[in-house]
Amino acid sequence: MTQDATPTPPPPTPFHDLDAYLAVPRVSGLALSPDGARLVVTVQTLDPKATGWTTALWEVDAAGRRPARRLTRSRKGESSAEFSAAGDLLFTSARPDPDAEKDDDDPKAALWLLPAEGGEARVVATAPGGLGGVLTARDADVVSVSAPVLPRAAGLDEDAALRKERTDRKVSAVLHAGYPVRHWDHDLGPDQERRYAATLGSAAVADDTGDPGEARLELTQLTGAGRQLDEHGADLAPDGATLVTTWNVADPGAAQRGTVVAVDTATGERRTLVDDPDADAFAPAVSPDGERVAYLLETITTPDQAPVVRLGLARADGSGEPAVLADDWDRWPTSVAWLPDGSGLVVTADEDGRGPVFLVTFDGGTPEASGVTVERVTADDATFTDVRVARDGSALFALRTSYAAPAEPVRLDLAAFVASGEPGERTPVDAVALPGPVAAPALPGTLTEVETTTADGARVRAWLALPADASPATPAPLLLWIHGGPLSTWSAWSWRWNPWLMVARGYAVLLPDPALSTGYGQEFVQRGWGAWGAAPFTDLMAITDAVESRADVDATRTAAMGGSFGGYMANWVAGHTDRFRAVVTHASLWALDQFGPTTDHAYYWHREMTPEMAEANSPHRFVGDIRTPMLVIHGDKDYRVPIGEGLRLWQELLTRSGLPAGDDGSTVHRFLYFPDENHWVLAPQHAKVWYQVVLAFLAEHVLGESPELPPHL
């Protein structure tokens, strides 16, 4: 008689097992119903084979009394949730249409409507290339969607015919007449985004058979052929009469710049609201009375001057000159929304490794009054995204995240904040978590904050994630993890770059914000501008020195890693110090003269550095000084940092570094290559392989252990 084997105990946290980690559901997006009672979020989960992701929409009780409930379920998933003025829920999905005459072998995302009173969702609009970018009017039964359309197609019917011809003839070629031709991880073209509008009431009327399921929206085309809407941002006026959108225009030197235009949803007539030759305008938001448009403005850089990001305000009728708001506020706004009475704006911005909510109120109650007051609303050590304002102005709803917890829906008592004092003297409030669809995972350690002062007097701060058992008796090996950007910050949970997976293996993970990081003021960005190898590098070394002096950190066992700009900096670190036992560089810039013309938006790079600056700051010049084992990681479909960077780095490591390959080809370096991945490496099993290889490489060189690699590599 045989005894049953002892069952394997579950991992202490999801971070101790990569499969368990990948299986944790992930929350994103937030929509608020007109009556303020319902929130809808998107939850991403693994598909049954654990090789892809699927999404579903969940409803969250805005009052916090009822548990979250699932609204949709399909293999294709749902996204882009928005409430109509009547309270119906709109979303996009490529799931099968039960009313279609036949199944589609290549289904595209359609627009679906889930009635407020309940029942089944039904398709209300389709397009040959799919629909997206759902916008709804606050006070009218109007919706706007975007659709990719082939440039020679006059309308959606002709687009369908042209797409069929390309498919039948197996044509994939794209003829470009402008720049750029790529963006991050996808080719631009052959189709181009166009905007459409419709009245939702046209889909609520039953057809001749009496079945409303057959009704479809009549989509009115608002914009024609062209690349003006690539990666655009837009908003609908409350009455639905005007679409306000970013509009790309060409600049000299194969460059482009964002302007803001208003489009009449009945006639398609277009007028320009913002066209600043020295700045990019983006993220427009129309005021409740429809008379003004708030937006964000980023100045065009030069090799000597870092960008400045500010709030802008323009008249929706195109009259007058746009104005810059809170020009003396030393923070960069990241999103903007209006108060219901139009007396101010709700804004988010990076600040000190966090992303608080701020209230920008107009002195005198109107935008025409002189001056504004900027106040921090949130007290949490967290970052807030997807901020939605209740129509009565009593509350804000948002997703709250930090490096202590992933995104969760929360409520902020705006009325209590406003009542706490006079403008400029109010007390920030704590967010209240709502019963969301996903519980926060248990962490394998603790999060603390550290900082130091550099030789030039700059304050440099960081998050430090420590294993639960780290102590002077058992100090943890240190992993310096450098963020990308470089205009970025370690302020929000990342499922892709997650330090807790390393903490679960015993590492203390340092997440610093060196020069060029956002949230510390304009001067802090300017310190590193055009000199990536200077202050950013010395800041990183200074904060590493400070953390290595801790008794619970083992300064003799350290490694450095980073992705994108963080990968650039990892390469720079490898060529300028031998203090680390291993360096991991992902999607990294290596030879800046090669990178500049081949990245997806080369014109931005040419604004940032002169050829002389690029040469001085290029890591490839110091390959002979690299005496640290390096793990190079790159995806072939990375268009922001093209694969040529990784290929050249790999070849030069093996032939010109201080640790070249032996005569027999043996090397301490490794190259993890993903033929069909992009800048981030997103497929679940590829993300798992990424962590497996990184952890094995670190274990070998930092911990002195034998690497445990996936058997299928």
Side-chain angles (χ1 to χ4, degrees):
M1 182 176 179
T2 59
Q3 292 183 337
D4 292 336
T6 303
T8 302
T13 74
F15 305 96
H16 287 85
D17 180 90
L18 288 171
D19 290 318
Y21 170 74
L22 291 171
V24 177
R26 307 168 182 194
V27 175
S28 64
L30 189 69
L32 175 65
S33 64
D35 61 5
R38 305 168 61 202
L39 296 166
V40 169
V41 298
T42 302
V43 178
Q44 183 186 64
T45 55
L46 281 176
D47 65 17
K49 293 184 178 180
T51 58
W53 303 104
T54 187
T55 55
L57 302 181
W58 286 68
E59 181 179 312
V60 175
D61 178 18
R65 301 187 186 96
R66 300 188 308 275
R69 68 185 184 98
R70 187 167 182 168
L71 298 177
T72 64
R73 187 184 302 272
S74 75
R75 182 172 296 178
K76 292 292 185 180
E78 298 83 23
S79 60
S80 303
E82 291 288 343
F83 282 98
S84 72
D88 299 324
L89 183 65
L90 295 163
F91 60 88
T92 59
S93 177
R95 64 188 189 178
D97 179 2
D99 297 317
E101 294 182 1
K102 62 178 181 177
D103 292 338
D104 191 340
D105 294 333
D106 184 24
K108 305 296 183 182
L111 182 66
W112 294 69
L113 183 148
L114 182 62
E117 64 272 13
E120 293 290 335
R122 60 188 178 85
V123 173
V124 292
T126 61
L131 294 173
V134 182
L135 300 170
T136 55
R138 188 182 101 157
D139 303 323
D141 210 15
V142 176
V143 61
S144 174
V145 291
S146 63
V149 180
L150 291 171
R152 295 185 182 277
L156 295 179
D157 290 341
E158 189 175 353
D159 183 51
L162 290 174
R163 287 177 182 275
K164 184 178 184 306
E165 183 176 356
R166 282 180 65 91
T167 300
D168 292 345
R169 295 179 180 272
K170 301 186 183 302
V171 172
S172 61
V174 181
L175 178 63
H176 290 286
Y179 189 85
V181 300
R182 291 172 160 187
H183 183 70
W184 278 115
D185 62 348
H186 59 275
D187 296 308
L188 298 178
D191 46 24
Q192 304 161 347
E193 290 293 315
R194 300 184 191 179
R195 268 279 164 189
Y196 295 82
T199 300
L200 284 168
S202 65
V205 179
D207 66 1
D208 294 338
T209 68
D211 183 2
E214 294 297 325
R216 293 289 190 269
L217 295 177
E218 295 181 9
L219 296 178
T220 299
Q221 183 171 308
L222 303 180
T223 59
R227 304 299 294 276
Q228 295 87 356
L229 293 181
D230 284 350
E231 313 301 328
H232 70 288
D235 192 23
L236 267 178
D239 63 2
T242 306
L243 170 75
V244 176
T245 179
T246 55
W247 191 264
N248 297 325
V249 297
D251 267 359
Q256 66 175 15
R257 173 173 51 83
T259 67
V260 177
V261 302
V263 183
D264 188 293
T265 57
T267 66
E269 181 182 349
R270 186 177 73 249
R271 59 185 178 275
T272 299
L273 307 183
V274 182
D275 187 354
D276 186 338
D278 298 318
D280 275 301
F282 59 103
V286 184
S287 64
D289 60 9
E291 295 183 359
R292 301 171 181 85
V293 177
Y295 58 95
L296 305 185
L297 196 71
E298 179 176 339
T299 59
I300 292 175
T301 61
T302 71
D304 299 315
Q305 183 60 55
V308 179
V309 182
R310 288 291 178 260
L311 289 166
L313 190 67
R315 300 286 304 188
D317 61 7
S319 64
E321 290 295 321
V324 173
L325 302 177
D327 195 29
D328 57 348
W329 182 37
D330 198 17
R331 291 294 181 266
W332 288 5
T334 53
S335 72
V336 58
W338 284 87
L339 291 177
D341 62 359
S343 64
L345 304 168
V346 177
V347 179
T348 57
D350 292 332
E351 183 171 78
D352 226 36
R354 299 151 176 87
V357 176
F358 296 87
L359 184 62
V360 178
T361 49
F362 307 124
D363 297 345
T366 66
E368 287 75 19
S370 60
V372 297
T373 300
V374 181
E375 304 170 272
R376 178 169 171 165
V377 176
T378 52
D380 307 58
D381 288 333
T383 292
F384 295 86
T385 66
D386 301 85
V387 179
R388 302 291 180 262
V389 186
R391 291 200 178 188
D392 61 3
S394 64
L396 305 176
F397 298 92
L399 295 182
R400 177 180 62 185
T401 179
S402 70
Y403 267 97
E408 63 175 347
V410 296
R411 182 184 189 275
L412 290 156
D413 194 334
L414 184 59
F417 171 77
V418 172
S420 67
E422 295 298 318
E425 301 176 358
R426 294 164 175 156
T427 303
V429 297
D430 291 314
V432 176
L434 298 172
V438 181
L443 300 179
T446 58
L447 188 68
T448 188
E449 198 167 5
V450 294
E451 64 178 67
T452 192
T453 302
T454 64
D456 66 351
R459 169 181 171 263
V460 179
R461 63 155 301 283
W463 296 111
L464 178 63
L466 287 163
D469 60 354
S471 69
T474 57
L478 179 66
L479 176 59
L480 166 65
W481 201 334
I482 309 165
H483 70 63
L487 304 178
S488 185
T489 173
W490 288 118
S491 65
W493 186 277
S494 171
W495 291 104
R496 185 60 198 89
W497 317 118
N498 198 290
W500 297 110
L501 290 165
M502 279 59 183
V503 173
R505 274 71 176 177
Y507 295 94
V509 182
L510 178 62
L511 306 169
D513 280 349
L516 290 173
S517 298
T518 55
Y520 303 93
Q522 192 67 30
E523 183 179 345
F524 197 72
V525 174
Q526 190 65 43
R527 283 179 66 240
W529 192 254
W532 287 11
F537 171 69
T538 55
D539 284 0
L540 290 170
M541 296 304 99
I543 194 70
T544 301
D545 289 341
V547 171
E548 286 183 352
S549 68
R550 294 171 59 104
D552 52 3
V553 170
D554 185 351
T556 68
R557 297 186 296 163
T558 62
M561 66 184 291
S564 195
F565 167 78
Y568 160 91
M569 190 53 66
N571 294 338
W572 189 267
V573 165
H576 287 79
T577 179
D578 297 336
R579 68 186 295 170
F580 300 103
R581 290 191 179 186
V583 170
V584 179
T585 179
H586 170 92
S588 65
L589 292 74
W590 174 243
L592 298 189
D593 60 336
Q594 170 182 276
F595 165 79
T598 58
T599 184
D600 57 349
H601 293 263
Y603 60 85
Y604 185 90
W605 177 256
H606 292 319
R607 295 168 178 166
E608 188 157 336
M609 286 191 185
T610 64
E612 294 76 18
M613 295 163 70
E615 173 70 13
N617 289 278
S618 188
H620 84 282
R621 297 195 303 118
F622 305 96
V623 64
D625 297 323
I626 295 178
R627 293 175 176 81
T628 303
M630 294 188 70
L631 170 60
V632 179
I633 309 175
H634 223 109
D636 199 84
K637 303 305 181 186
D638 185 350
Y639 298 156
R640 181 56 47 97
V641 183
I643 184 59
E645 296 298 297
L647 294 175
R648 181 170 172 179
L649 167 57
W650 181 241
Q651 196 274 340
E652 293 184 352
L653 273 180
L654 299 187
T655 59
R656 297 177 51 204
S657 76
L659 287 175
D663 292 340
D664 61 353
S666 61
T667 177
V668 295
H669 307 300
R670 295 292 184 269
F671 183 18
L672 178 59
Y673 169 66
F674 293 94
D676 53 359
E677 280 288 359
N678 56 21
H679 195 66
W680 302 279
V681 183
L682 296 178
Q685 295 306 314
H686 283 163
K688 180 180 178 180
V689 167
W690 192 97
Y691 279 108
Q692 287 174 316
V693 173
V694 168
L695 288 167
F697 189 77
L698 295 177
E700 178 181 4
H701 296 288
V702 178
L703 306 181
E705 299 176 355
S706 298
E708 295 183 11
L709 292 168
H712 46 271
L713 285 186

